[in-house]
């Protein structure tokens, strides 16, 4: 086992003298090559007879697997097929995911993963990842040790706020599995090091509680001190069992998400993707949109619909970016306005505001309706992070479009069914003038003789790359400045040909190349800010590249 603080591709950890033989080799998804095992390997590794005689190179296997995938009609069937492939042969799975990311990512992540989570109980085939139950309290270290590999990267959820679908309890496992697959495909983090974890502290979803086939513990959610103590034991156990492991909090309910981040961000190597990753990708979109409109970031007025993890996370990072342009913190905060479920966030509104909303309660008369808020605030950008489907209706968008030459519309709620407006609606109601990004992918839109390939403000541009940078540099903690530099680096990768088709993000086809640039920027920052005691390599980019996983078969014999 390599030193737990060193991030190196685990060839020696999985191969070499420990290489399993025969059926055990075929059943090891990280090492299996299926019909691609050579004659020499079949002879010396006890594989004769266990495989059909004809040998197929990986390109042929890809063709066959893609053909099988494309024959399936429903996205959920494609999800199940891909999950099966991942269980059998991870190298082939990642080859397909990496080379066909735009086709396959929506099948293993949003929007299909939403459906997969809803039906996780019935599509569950083989275990993947760890379930930690509240009943395991006092024993979490032991359970973590049951994982057969050495984890350096954990994505953990407690299933309380799965995408925009709400509390799915233990069914949320699809999320950490999907996110980790994206780490490996988009930033080359070796799947060997990745551990998906679902914390089952119960669910308040009545439908699940009544469902006799629900796979989680059929009990109400544990909250308050008992929950906090359980999470404390979990975070500490991770430090003991996998020292230096990067911990990504994912799809926790609003209160616990902020609380966990506040409690642990300066103590252990962790971040919350819904807050910080979203902030970074949205900020990158705003940076490239303002470059197109020829205005400064600090000159924007952003009106958010939804003041939760995503919304206030974006506003906090925007504040940091606007301060870099010279605004005071107070003035930077004043660029960000919010409408939440109670209306426009203003001073003296009457409700007790949680700390993440407080900095954005400005002096203004109360307004309930979002369209009226658009008319009154006159934003340059509207960002939907409310989980409220079609909240950017024709009235909202037309009101906004009447005020701005190039209205910036980010409709970020996931999955597609929850999006505040569709790409088609946004282009239609703004006569093709808007700069649009969405959380889930939309098909290209043809409007007035022009084709818009709408951009997806997908966190996948950020979290795998930030994670890789943190892992390679062995940074002790993950800072907001890393997410700021990640946003700036991502925005700098947007090319004229992207802008030409309406994208404020680089094409997904370049994601590995873009991820390397972001990882390098993050790692450089870790050294610059003294967040690591690792000696600085002479060439950080070469170091990052050398540590990335590529989905190619190893030669065993
Ligand atoms: P959250 O629960 O923390 O916040 C939701 C917010 O929406 C709350 O402030 C709530 O008051 C507000 N809200 C609810 N109903 C409303 C209504 N009728 N009118 C106005 N506001 C209302 O959730 P979150 O983590 O902030 O995520 C919100 C949405 O953003 C989800 O759909 C999620 O999928 C999406 N999201 C997208 C991305 C991305 O595209 N990159 C990333 C993260 C989250």
């Amino acid at each position: 086992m390599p030193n737990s603080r060193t991030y190196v591709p685990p060839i020696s950890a999985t191969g070499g003298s420990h290489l399993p033989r025969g059926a055990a080799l075929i059943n090891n998804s990280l090492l299996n090559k299926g019909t691609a095992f050579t004659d020499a390997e079949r002879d010396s590794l006890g594989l004769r007879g266990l495989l059909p005689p004809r040998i197929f190179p990986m390109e042929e296997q890809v063709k066959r697997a893609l053909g099988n995938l494309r024959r399936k009609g429903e996205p959920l069937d494609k999800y199940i097929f891909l999950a099966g492939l991942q269980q059998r042969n991870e190298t082939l799975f990642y080859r397909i995911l990496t080379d066909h990311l735009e086709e396959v990512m929506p099948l293993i992540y949003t929007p299909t993963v939403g459906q997969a989570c809803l039906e996780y109980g019935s599509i569950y085939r083989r275990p993947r990842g760890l379930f930690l139950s509240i009943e395991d309290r006092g024993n979490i270290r032991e359970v973590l040790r049951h994982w057969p590999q050495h984890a350096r990267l954990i994505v953990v959820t407690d299933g309380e706020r799965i995408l925009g679908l709400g509390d799915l309890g233990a069914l949320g496992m699809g999320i950490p599995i999907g996110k980790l697959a994206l780490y490996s495909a988009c930033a080359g983090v070796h799947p060997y090091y990745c551990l998906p974890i679902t914390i089952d502290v119960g669910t308040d979803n009545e439908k699940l509680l009544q469902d006799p086939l629900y796979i989680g513990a059929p009990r109400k959610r544990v909250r308050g001190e008992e929950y906090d103590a359980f999470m404390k034991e979990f975070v500490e156990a991770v430090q003991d069992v996998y020292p230096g492991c990067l911990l990504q909090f994912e799809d926790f309910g609003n209160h616990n998400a902020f609380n966990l981040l506040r409690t642990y961000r300066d103590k252990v190597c962790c971040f919350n993707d819904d807050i910080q990753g979203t902030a970074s990708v949205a900020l990158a979109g705003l940076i490239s949109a303002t470059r197109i409109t020829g205005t400064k970031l600090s000159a924007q007025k952003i009106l958010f619909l939804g003041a939760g993890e995503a919304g206030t996370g974006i506003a906090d990072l925007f504040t940091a970016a606007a301060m870099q342009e010279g605004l005071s913190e107070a003035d930077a905060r004043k660029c960000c306005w919010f409408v939440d479920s109670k209306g426009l966030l203003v001073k003296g509104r009457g409700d007790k505001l949680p700390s993440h909303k407080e900095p954005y309660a400005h002096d203004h008369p109360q307004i309930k309706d979002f369209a009226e808020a658009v008319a009154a605030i006159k934003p340059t950008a509207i960002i939907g992070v409310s989980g409220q489907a079609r909240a950017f209706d024709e009235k909202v968008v037309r009101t906004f479009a009447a005020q701005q030459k190039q209205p910036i519309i980010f409709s970020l709620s996931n999955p597609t069914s929850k999006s505040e407006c569709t790409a088609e609606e946004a282009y239609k109601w703004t006569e093709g003038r808007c700069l649009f990004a969405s959380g889930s992918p939309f098909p290209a839109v043809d409007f007035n003789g022009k084709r818009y390939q709408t951009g997806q403000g997908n966190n996948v541009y950020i979290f795998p790359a930030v994670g890789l940078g943190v892992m390679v540099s062995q940074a002790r903690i993950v800072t907001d400045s890393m997410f700021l530099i990640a946003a700036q680096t991502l925005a700098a990768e947007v090319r004229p040909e992207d802008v030409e088709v309406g994208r404020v993000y680089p094409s997904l086809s370049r994601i590995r190349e873009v991820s390397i640039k972001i990882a390098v920027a993050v790692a450089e920052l870790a050294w610059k800010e003294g967040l690591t005691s690792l000696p600085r390599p002479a060439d950080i980019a070469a170091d990052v590249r050398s540590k990335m996983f590529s989905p190619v078969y190893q030669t065993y014999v």
Side-chain angles (χ1 to χ4, degrees):
M1 190 68 65
N3 170 331
S4 61
R5 292 288 298 157
T6 325
Y7 177 66
V8 289
I11 298 161
S12 56
T14 55
S17 57
H18 302 297
L19 195 66
R21 292 172 51 82
L25 178 56
I26 293 173
N27 287 328
N28 182 319
S29 62
L30 281 166
L31 300 172
N32 182 25
K33 310 200 302 191
T35 53
F37 279 110
T38 62
D39 271 326
E41 287 167 338
R42 291 169 189 226
D43 284 336
S44 69
L45 294 169
L47 298 171
R48 280 279 166 223
L50 296 177
L51 296 161
R54 185 158 173 191
I55 295 166
F56 290 92
M58 187 185 242
E59 307 81 71
E60 295 298 323
Q61 292 181 312
V62 167
K63 263 191 232 159
R64 191 200 316 261
L66 269 181
N68 289 340
L69 177 70
R70 287 171 183 160
R71 259 197 302 281
K72 309 247 173 245
E74 293 299 314
L76 189 61
D77 292 329
K78 296 186 182 200
Y79 177 94
I80 294 169
F81 172 81
L82 288 163
L85 181 60
Q86 191 180 12
Q87 298 279 6
R88 290 193 302 278
N89 182 338
E90 295 202 42
T91 316
L92 186 57
F93 169 80
Y94 283 111
R95 178 84 273 151
I96 289 174
L97 179 55
T98 306
D99 292 352
H100 301 270
L101 194 67
E102 282 175 77
E103 177 182 352
V104 179
M105 190 166 67
L107 299 171
I108 64 146
Y109 208 67
T110 180
T112 310
V113 74
Q115 192 61 28
C117 284
L118 286 167
E119 302 194 28
Y120 204 77
S122 54
I123 64 173
Y124 177 83
R125 298 286 194 280
R126 269 182 74 175
R128 188 171 188 89
L130 275 181
F131 287 94
L132 278 173
S133 156
I134 187 75
E135 311 305 335
D136 297 320
R137 86 192 106 191
N139 199 26
I140 296 180
R141 279 168 186 77
E142 262 325 290
V143 180
L144 285 178
R145 288 196 182 98
H146 291 167
W147 184 245
Q149 289 147 217
H150 188 92
R152 292 172 204 284
L153 171 61
I154 290 174
V155 176
V156 60
T157 186
D158 74 354
E160 189 174 7
R161 201 240 59 200
I162 296 299
L163 306 171
L165 300 170
D167 185 350
L168 297 188
L171 303 184
M173 185 55 116
I175 297 293
I177 290 175
K179 284 255 157 154
L180 285 168
L182 296 179
Y183 263 103
S184 302
C186 302
V189 173
H190 201 294
Y192 178 84
Y193 291 135
C194 298
L195 168 54
I197 294 185
T198 293
I199 304 261
D200 183 11
V201 290
T203 177
D204 290 345
N205 181 329
E206 278 306 322
K207 216 172 132 203
L208 295 182
L209 288 172
Q210 301 307 324
D211 180 355
L213 297 180
Y214 172 55
I215 59 167
R219 55 173 293 170
K220 285 271 187 194
R221 259 180 198 280
V222 164
R223 296 193 183 276
E225 279 176 23
E226 204 185 341
Y227 177 90
D228 294 342
F230 183 79
M231 289 308 292
K232 182 166 183 283
E233 185 190 337
F234 166 68
V235 173
E236 288 172 359
V238 167
Q239 306 314 302
D240 287 353
V241 179
Y242 304 120
C245 176
L246 171 61
L247 192 55
Q248 174 174 328
F249 295 110
E250 190 69 38
D251 285 7
F252 281 75
N254 187 299
H255 169 76
N256 289 328
F258 284 110
N259 202 26
L260 286 165
L261 186 61
R262 230 183 346 257
T263 309
Y264 296 110
R265 62 180 305 159
D266 296 328
K267 296 193 180 88
V268 305
C269 189
C270 70
F271 71 97
N272 179 304
D273 184 53
D274 305 298
I275 300 172
Q276 296 162 291
T278 305
S280 187
V281 78
L283 178 63
L286 284 169
I287 295 172
S288 36
T290 52
R291 202 178 294 138
I292 297 166
T293 59
T295 51
K296 286 177 87 169
L297 210 53
S298 50
Q300 305 308 307
K301 209 187 247 189
I302 306 165
L303 181 60
F304 293 85
L305 183 70
E309 297 167 49
T312 58
I314 298 169
D316 288 348
L317 199 63
F318 173 89
T319 299
M323 286 170 69
Q324 272 192 351
E325 283 187 0
L327 284 194
S328 68
E329 182 181 337
D331 285 341
R333 301 252 190 225
K334 277 188 204 140
C335 296
C336 301
W337 291 76
F338 284 88
V339 169
D340 65 10
S341 53
K342 299 195 179 68
L344 189 65
L345 190 55
V346 290
K347 276 200 179 124
R349 194 170 72 169
D351 53 325
K352 166 121 187 57
L353 295 181
S355 58
H356 61 276
K357 290 190 190 181
E358 250 167 30
Y360 303 105
H362 305 309
D363 281 318
H364 198 280
Q366 169 66 303
I367 299 175
K368 286 270 177 228
D369 177 63
F370 189 69
E372 281 174 32
V374 171
I377 303 298
K378 302 206 169 24
T380 56
I382 57 173
I383 299 185
V385 272
S386 63
Q388 298 302 304
R390 303 295 170 268
F392 292 173
D393 59 16
E394 185 164 359
K395 184 175 169 205
V396 165
V397 176
R398 287 203 187 276
T399 305
F400 181 35
Q403 296 166 350
Q404 296 294 334
K405 215 165 102 197
Q406 287 176 294
I408 300 169
I409 302 177
F410 290 178
S411 168
L412 297 185
S413 287
N414 293 319
T416 319
S417 60
K418 300 282 178 185
S419 191
E420 281 80 5
C421 69
T422 66
E424 194 177 4
E425 288 166 344
Y427 288 111
K428 191 169 78 189
W429 295 333
T430 61
E431 301 90 27
R433 288 182 288 124
C434 69
L435 298 166
F436 179 82
S438 57
S440 295
F442 282 108
V445 175
D446 291 309
F447 185 82
N448 269 357
K450 190 170 168 186
R451 169 157 278 225
Y452 298 89
Q453 314 269 2
T454 74
Q456 197 188 342
N458 194 320
N459 296 29
V460 78
Y461 284 114
I462 298 291
F463 69 84
V466 170
L468 178 65
V470 167
M471 291 170 82
V472 167
S473 63
Q474 293 179 22
R476 279 186 300 278
I477 54 170
V478 186
T479 61
D480 277 342
S481 52
M482 292 177 177
F483 287 98
L484 182 53
I485 202 144
Q488 290 160 338
T489 310
L490 175 59
E493 287 302 309
V494 178
R495 294 175 168 172
E497 57 266 33
D498 298 313
V499 175
E500 180 51 34
V501 294
R503 264 201 307 260
V504 290
Y505 295 102
S507 163
L508 266 178
S509 59
R510 294 180 50 230
I511 189 140
R512 270 177 91 100
E513 178 197 331
V514 171
S515 291
I516 291 170
K517 295 213 166 130
I518 295 174
V520 170
V522 166
E524 265 177 5
L525 198 74
W527 270 291
K528 201 167 123 206
E529 295 190 343
L531 298 172
T532 171
S533 49
L534 195 73
R536 189 185 192 285
D539 183 343
I540 295 180
D543 190 46
V544 166
R545 279 177 199 280
S546 73
K547 288 173 176 158
M548 286 172 73
F549 157 79
S550 278
V552 289
Y553 288 138
Q554 295 175 48
T555 303
Y556 299 130
V557 174

